Amino acid sequence: MKNVIREMRNEKGLRQEDLGDLIGVSRQTINAIEKGKYDPSLNTAFRLAKVMGKRIEDLFQFED
Amino acid sequence: MKRTTSSFTKKRQANLRRLAFWTITWTLSQALVTFGGAFVWPESSTLIFLSILLNVALGIGVIVTNRKYIFEGDELDKKVQLESMSLALGLSIVVGLAYASMDQTNLIPFDADISHIVIFTSLSYLTANVVNRKRYS
């Protein structure tokens, strides 16, 4: 699954650790999500969307 | 949005320190049981029993602290732990039974010892944990 979390985070001027604190996950988890190595749970995806002020589908693009 | 924790990393590190403390204390109590029973109070079954009791109590402390450490981790931590534990458990059962069979059929020139399996399980878990963490970094 592709995502634009890194771009959105940079726009907000947040570090990975700051974003992790905001949604209750570690910096390593944010890094893994941004690199596309880990697909977050629905709960985390909703939290990310809320922090970024976007919809989930604006952040994540499903790939077959 | 309000922060869900003051710092997830700080909380995680505090849990890890707590787990390290319990594990080190439990390991020391294991040394107390082994060496105390052999060299310091070999005649006193009461002291041996009490040291084993202390060892088991501290071991329960390790289990409770480890459970808390895993439960309070985030979803990726839990995934890594699950993958590492499932691999360590599977390997321990398969290799452990093969090791016991080798002992029963005298394929090995020594008696199988439970401590070998404990060491094997620990190393399997450690290796799987390092590899899985690297996979997601």
Side-chain angles (χ1 to χ4, degrees), chain A residues 17 21-26 29 31-32 35 37-38 40-41 44 47 51, chain B residues 1-9 74-77 79 134-137:
Chain A
E17 192 169 3
D21 270 352
L22 284 167
I23 64 167
V25 299
S26 66
T29 300
N31 186 52
K35 285 184 172 176
K37 291 188 173 183
Y38 173 67
S41 67
T44 299
R47 283 175 177 275
V51 167
Chain B
M1 188 184 179
K2 199 182 166 200
R3 286 179 182 230
T4 50
T5 54
S6 58
S7 172
F8 182 84
T9 308
D74 68 13
E75 56 192 63
L76 183 56
D77 282 324
K79 186 178 170 66
K134 205 160 176 56
R135 258 178 63 200
Y136 293 111
S137 65

Coordinates of all heavy atoms in Angstrom, one line a residue, chain A residues 17 21-26 29 31-32 35 37-38 40-41 44 47 51, chain B residues 1-9 74-77 79 134-137:
Chain A
E17 N 9.1 11.2 15.5 CA 8.8 10.9 16.9 C 7.6 11.7 17.4 O 6.8 11.2 18.1 CB 10.1 11.3 17.7 CG 10.0 10.8 19.1 CD 11.3 11.0 19.9 OE1 12.2 11.5 19.3 OE2 11.3 10.5 21.1
D21 N 4.2 10.2 18.8 CA 3.6 10.6 20.1 C 2.1 11.0 19.9 O 1.3 10.6 20.8 CB 4.4 11.7 20.7 CG 5.5 11.2 21.6 OD1 5.6 10.0 21.8 OD2 6.3 12.0 22.0
L22 N 1.8 11.7 18.9 CA 0.5 12.1 18.6 C -0.5 11.0 18.4 O -1.7 11.1 18.8 CB 0.4 13.1 17.4 CG 0.9 14.5 17.7 CD1 1.1 15.2 16.3 CD2 0.0 15.3 18.5
I23 N -0.1 9.9 17.8 CA -1.0 8.8 17.5 C -0.8 7.6 18.4 O -1.5 6.6 18.3 CB -1.1 8.4 16.0 CG1 0.3 7.9 15.6 CG2 -1.5 9.6 15.2 CD1 0.2 7.2 14.2
G24 N 0.2 7.7 19.3 CA 0.5 6.6 20.2 C 1.2 5.4 19.7 O 1.0 4.3 20.0
V25 N 2.2 5.7 18.8 CA 3.1 4.6 18.3 C 4.5 5.1 18.3 O 4.8 6.3 18.6 CB 2.7 4.1 16.8 CG1 1.3 3.6 16.7 CG2 2.9 5.3 15.8
S26 N 5.4 4.2 18.1 CA 6.9 4.6 18.2 C 7.3 5.2 16.9 O 6.7 5.1 15.8 CB 7.7 3.3 18.5 OG 7.6 2.4 17.4
T29 N 7.8 2.7 14.1 CA 6.5 2.4 13.4 C 6.2 3.4 12.4 O 5.8 3.0 11.2 CB 5.4 2.2 14.5 OG1 5.7 1.2 15.4 CG2 4.1 1.8 13.8
N31 N 8.3 5.3 10.8 CA 9.3 5.0 9.8 C 8.9 3.9 8.9 O 9.0 4.0 7.6 CB 10.6 4.8 10.4 CG 11.8 4.7 9.4 OD1 11.9 5.6 8.6 ND2 12.5 3.7 9.5
A32 N 8.5 2.8 9.5 CA 8.1 1.6 8.7 C 6.8 1.8 7.8 O 6.8 1.4 6.7 CB 7.8 0.4 9.7
K35 N 7.9 4.1 4.9 CA 8.7 3.3 3.8 C 7.8 2.2 3.2 O 8.3 1.6 2.2 CB 9.9 2.6 4.5 CG 11.0 3.6 4.8 CD 12.2 2.8 5.4 CE 13.4 3.7 5.5 NZ 14.5 3.0 6.2
K37 N 6.8 -0.5 4.5 CA 7.2 -1.8 5.0 C 6.1 -2.4 5.9 O 6.1 -3.6 6.2 CB 8.6 -1.8 5.7 CG 9.7 -1.5 4.7 CD 11.0 -1.7 5.4 CE 12.2 -1.5 4.4 NZ 13.5 -1.8 5.1
Y38 N 5.3 -1.5 6.4 CA 4.3 -2.0 7.3 C 3.0 -1.2 7.1 O 3.0 0.0 7.0 CB 4.7 -1.8 8.8 CG 3.7 -2.1 9.8 CD1 3.2 -3.3 10.0 CD2 3.1 -1.0 10.6 CE1 2.2 -3.6 10.9 CE2 2.1 -1.3 11.5 CZ 1.7 -2.6 11.7 OH 0.7 -2.8 12.6
P40 N -0.5 0.0 8.5 CA -1.0 0.2 9.8 C -2.4 -0.4 10.0 O -3.1 -0.7 9.0 CB -1.0 1.7 10.0 CG -1.2 2.2 8.6 CD -0.4 1.2 7.7
S41 N -2.8 -0.6 11.2 CA -4.2 -1.0 11.5 C -5.2 0.1 11.1 O -4.8 1.3 10.9 CB -4.4 -1.3 13.0 OG -4.2 -0.1 13.7
T44 N -5.0 3.0 13.6 CA -3.8 3.9 13.5 C -4.0 4.7 12.2 O -3.7 5.9 12.2 CB -2.5 3.1 13.4 OG1 -2.4 2.4 14.6 CG2 -1.3 3.9 13.2
R47 N -6.3 7.5 13.0 CA -5.6 8.5 13.9 C -4.6 9.4 13.0 O -4.6 10.6 13.2 CB -4.8 7.8 15.0 CG -5.6 7.3 16.1 CD -4.7 6.5 17.1 NE -5.5 6.1 18.2 CZ -5.7 6.8 19.3 NH1 -5.2 8.0 19.4 NH2 -6.4 6.4 20.3
V51 N -4.9 13.5 12.5 CA -3.8 14.4 12.8 C -3.4 15.2 11.6 O -3.2 16.4 11.7 CB -2.5 13.6 13.3 CG1 -1.3 14.5 13.3 CG2 -2.7 13.0 14.7
Chain B
M1 N -4.9 18.0 17.7 CA -5.2 16.8 18.4 C -4.4 16.6 19.6 O -3.2 16.9 19.6 CB -5.0 15.6 17.5 CG -5.6 14.3 18.0 SD -5.2 12.9 16.9 CE -5.9 11.6 17.7
K2 N -5.0 16.2 20.7 CA -4.3 16.1 22.0 C -3.4 14.9 21.9 O -3.7 13.8 21.3 CB -5.3 15.9 23.1 CG -4.7 16.1 24.5 CD -5.8 15.9 25.5 CE -5.1 15.8 26.9 NZ -6.0 15.1 27.9
R3 N -2.2 15.0 22.5 CA -1.3 13.8 22.5 C -1.8 12.7 23.3 O -2.4 12.9 24.4 CB 0.1 14.3 23.1 CG 0.9 15.1 22.2 CD 2.2 15.5 22.8 NE 2.9 16.4 21.8 CZ 4.1 16.2 21.5 NH1 4.9 15.3 22.0 NH2 4.7 17.0 20.6
T4 N -1.7 11.5 22.8 CA -2.2 10.3 23.5 C -1.3 9.9 24.6 O -1.8 9.4 25.6 CB -2.4 9.1 22.5 OG1 -1.2 9.0 21.8 CG2 -3.5 9.4 21.5
T5 N 0.0 10.2 24.5 CA 0.9 9.9 25.6 C 1.8 11.1 25.6 O 2.0 11.8 24.6 CB 1.7 8.6 25.4 OG1 2.4 8.8 24.1 CG2 0.9 7.4 25.4
S6 N 2.4 11.3 26.8 CA 3.4 12.4 26.9 C 4.6 12.1 26.0 O 5.1 12.9 25.3 CB 3.9 12.7 28.3 OG 4.4 11.5 28.8
S7 N 5.0 10.9 26.0 CA 6.0 10.4 25.1 C 6.0 8.9 25.1 O 6.3 8.2 26.0 CB 7.4 10.8 25.5 OG 8.4 10.2 24.7
F8 N 5.6 8.3 23.9 CA 5.5 6.9 23.8 C 6.9 6.2 24.0 O 7.0 5.2 24.7 CB 5.0 6.6 22.3 CG 4.9 5.1 22.1 CD1 3.7 4.5 22.5 CD2 5.9 4.3 21.6 CE1 3.5 3.1 22.3 CE2 5.7 3.0 21.4 CZ 4.5 2.4 21.7
T9 N 7.9 6.9 23.5 CA 9.3 6.3 23.6 C 9.7 6.2 25.1 O 10.3 5.2 25.5 CB 10.3 7.1 22.8 OG1 9.8 7.3 21.5 CG2 11.6 6.5 22.7
D74 N 3.4 -0.8 20.8 CA 2.5 -0.5 19.7 C 2.2 -1.7 18.8 O 2.8 -2.7 19.0 CB 2.9 0.8 18.9 CG 4.2 0.6 18.1 OD1 4.6 -0.6 17.9 OD2 4.8 1.6 17.7
E75 N 1.4 -1.5 17.7 CA 1.0 -2.6 16.9 C 2.2 -3.3 16.2 O 2.2 -4.5 16.0 CB 0.0 -2.2 15.9 CG 0.4 -1.0 15.0 CD -0.8 -0.4 14.3 OE1 -1.7 0.1 14.9 OE2 -0.8 -0.4 13.0
L76 N 3.2 -2.5 15.8 CA 4.4 -3.1 15.1 C 5.2 -3.9 16.1 O 5.7 -5.0 15.7 CB 5.2 -2.0 14.4 CG 6.4 -2.5 13.6 CD1 6.0 -3.5 12.5 CD2 7.2 -1.3 13.0
D77 N 5.4 -3.4 17.3 CA 6.1 -4.1 18.3 C 5.4 -5.5 18.6 O 6.1 -6.5 18.7 CB 6.0 -3.4 19.7 CG 7.0 -2.2 19.7 OD1 8.1 -2.3 19.1 OD2 6.7 -1.2 20.3
K79 N 3.5 -7.1 16.5 CA 3.7 -8.0 15.4 C 5.1 -8.7 15.4 O 5.2 -9.9 15.1 CB 3.5 -7.1 14.1 CG 3.5 -7.9 12.8 CD 3.3 -6.9 11.6 CE 3.5 -7.6 10.3 NZ 2.6 -8.6 9.9
K134 N 14.8 -5.6 11.9 CA 15.6 -5.1 10.8 C 14.7 -5.1 9.5 O 14.7 -4.2 8.7 CB 16.8 -6.0 10.5 CG 17.9 -5.3 9.8 CD 19.2 -6.0 10.0 CE 20.3 -5.3 9.1 NZ 20.4 -3.9 9.4
R135 N 13.8 -6.1 9.4 CA 12.9 -6.2 8.3 C 12.0 -5.0 8.2 O 11.6 -4.5 7.1 CB 12.0 -7.4 8.5 CG 12.4 -8.6 7.6 CD 11.5 -9.8 7.9 NE 10.1 -9.5 7.5 CZ 9.1 -10.3 8.0 NH1 9.3 -11.3 8.8 NH2 7.8 -10.0 7.7
Y136 N 11.6 -4.4 9.3 CA 10.6 -3.3 9.3 C 11.3 -2.0 9.5 O 10.6 -1.0 9.7 CB 9.6 -3.5 10.4 CG 8.7 -4.7 10.2 CD1 8.7 -5.9 10.9 CD2 7.7 -4.7 9.1 CE1 7.9 -7.0 10.7 CE2 6.9 -5.7 8.9 CZ 7.0 -6.9 9.6 OH 6.2 -7.9 9.4
S137 N 12.6 -1.9 9.5 CA 13.3 -0.6 9.7 C 13.8 0.0 8.4 O 13.8 -0.7 7.4 CB 14.5 -0.8 10.7 OG 15.5 -1.6 10.1

